[in-house]
Amino acid sequence: MINAPLDMIEAPSPNFDERTLPVTLLVLHYTGMESGAAALARMRDPAAKVSAHYMVEEDGRIYRLVGEDKRAWHAGVSEWGGESNINSASIGIEIVNGGHDFLLENGNLPPYPDIQINAVIALSKDIMVRHHISPRHVIGHSDIAPLRKMDPGEHFPWQGLAAAGAAIWPDSRDEDRRVLFTRGMRDRGVAILQSGLAQIGYSARVNGEYDAATELIVTALQRRFRPDKVDGVTDVETMSLVKWWVEVI
Ligand SMILES: [Zn+2]
C-alpha cells in the first residue's frame, strides 16, 4: 500500500547545521510555551538557536522547519545509548502543548487532542519507515535529558502511539508497588537497577548508590510507562518495567 504524502506547511528555520551521524532515533518533545505560534516563531528566530525538524499543532497541522538530512537543534545536552550528539543521530518533533509550565486551572497537565496525536503518529511512522527506526528508538526528550527535561510529559499518550506501532508499551507488568529502593540507599540491587537503566540507553552510572541522578532517570522511565505514579522511587512495578525494557529489541 502506498500512503499519500503528508500535508506539510513549510516554515523554514535557519537553526540547523550538518549531520555527522546516521539517523537512528526519533525524539518527541512538547513545546512548553503559551501557543504554537510562539513556539514556531522562537524556532525560526536565529537568535534563539533552537529548532526541530517538525512541529505538530494542536489541530493536527504539521510544520516542516528543517530538512531531515540536516541537524536540527532540539536535544541540547543529552545522551542515549552512550551517544551524546543526539541532534546528529535523531529527528526531532515538537508537539504543541503547554506542558508542566502551563497547567490547567484544575492543576492538571493540558491534554493532547486526538487529532494532534493522530498527526504525530502518521508523521512518526512516515519517518520511521524512511529511516528504519524501530519503535524502541522513539523516545522522549526526558529520556535523553532526564536531569533537566520533563517533555513530552506523563500526559503524553505513549500507549496510543505503541498501539499504532510508533512506540513501545509493555503487554504486562508486575503491579506490586512495594518499595525496593529510594534516595540515599546503597545496595547491590541499586547497581543492578542502574545497569538495567544504562542497558536501556539512559545516561545511568553504575555506582550502587540511589543518588539524585538515579532518582531522576527512574522518574523519566515512569513518565513513559507508569504515568499515574511518577515519584522516582523504585518499587517492584518500576523494576519490572526496567527488566521488560532491557529485553525489548
Ligand atoms: Zn524538548
Side-chain angles (χ1 to χ4, degrees):
M1 194 178 90
I2 296 167
N3 291 318
L6 293 166
D7 279 337
M8 296 274 173
I9 301 168
E10 301 295 338
S13 165
N15 300 331
F16 67 86
D17 52 13
E18 298 302 316
R19 280 192 190 283
T20 56
L21 294 168
V23 174
T24 51
L25 296 169
L26 176 57
V27 180
L28 304 184
H29 302 257
Y30 66 47
T31 50
M33 293 181 72
E34 64 275 25
S35 71
L40 193 64
R42 178 167 151 77
M43 288 193 284
R44 302 182 72 187
D45 174 2
K49 294 186 168 22
V50 295
S51 63
H53 294 91
Y54 300 100
M55 188 186 87
V56 180
E57 256 289 7
E58 289 175 302
D59 62 6
R61 280 176 297 164
I62 302 171
Y63 291 84
R64 173 164 36 213
L65 289 88
V66 174
E68 290 181 8
D69 60 324
K70 301 298 184 190
R71 177 178 178 273
W73 302 339
H74 58 96
V77 176
S78 51
E79 186 180 325
W80 191 252
E83 178 58 62
S84 57
N85 187 356
I86 300 294
N87 282 336
S88 263
S90 68
I91 288 178
I93 302 177
E94 285 282 356
I95 305 162
V96 175
N97 185 275
H100 296 81
D101 286 339
F102 292 90
L103 299 177
L104 302 179
E105 274 180 28
N106 63 12
N108 289 343
L109 287 156
Y112 290 93
D114 287 345
I115 192 167
Q116 181 184 34
I117 292 305
N118 289 340
V120 169
I121 288 170
L123 176 60
S124 297
K125 293 191 76 170
D126 192 58
I127 293 165
M128 290 165 73
V129 167
R130 275 184 284 104
H131 296 277
H132 309 288
I133 299 171
S134 78
R136 175 191 213 289
H137 292 132
V138 181
I139 54 179
H141 199 187
S142 54
D143 293 316
I144 62 173
L147 276 53
R148 59 186 192 88
K149 291 291 177 180
M150 295 192 282
D151 63 308
E154 56 271 37
H155 57 312
F156 184 74
W158 287 105
Q159 189 171 8
L161 260 74
I168 53 168
W169 191 264
D171 291 331
S172 64
R173 63 179 69 203
D174 191 334
E175 290 179 10
D176 183 347
R177 292 190 172 179
R178 274 176 297 178
V179 171
L180 295 176
F181 312 120
T182 57
R183 182 75 181 272
M185 281 179 76
R186 249 176 211 289
D187 190 280
R188 224 171 67 85
V190 175
I192 292 167
L193 164 71
Q194 291 167 329
S195 172
L197 293 169
Q199 281 182 68
I200 289 164
Y202 285 108
S203 57
R205 280 193 307 153
V206 182
N207 61 9
E209 186 187 342
Y210 208 94
D211 50 17
T214 303
E215 186 175 63
L216 287 167
I217 292 170
V218 168
T219 302
L221 179 136
Q222 291 170 336
R223 283 189 210 288
R224 290 287 308 274
F225 300 116
R226 215 232 344 234
D228 72 302
K229 193 160 197 270
V230 179
D231 60 0
V233 171
T234 295
D235 50 27
V236 175
E237 182 178 34
T238 302
M239 198 67 180
S240 80
L241 291 168
V242 172
K243 287 177 183 163
W244 159 76
W245 200 354
V246 166
E247 300 292 325
V248 177
I249 309 288

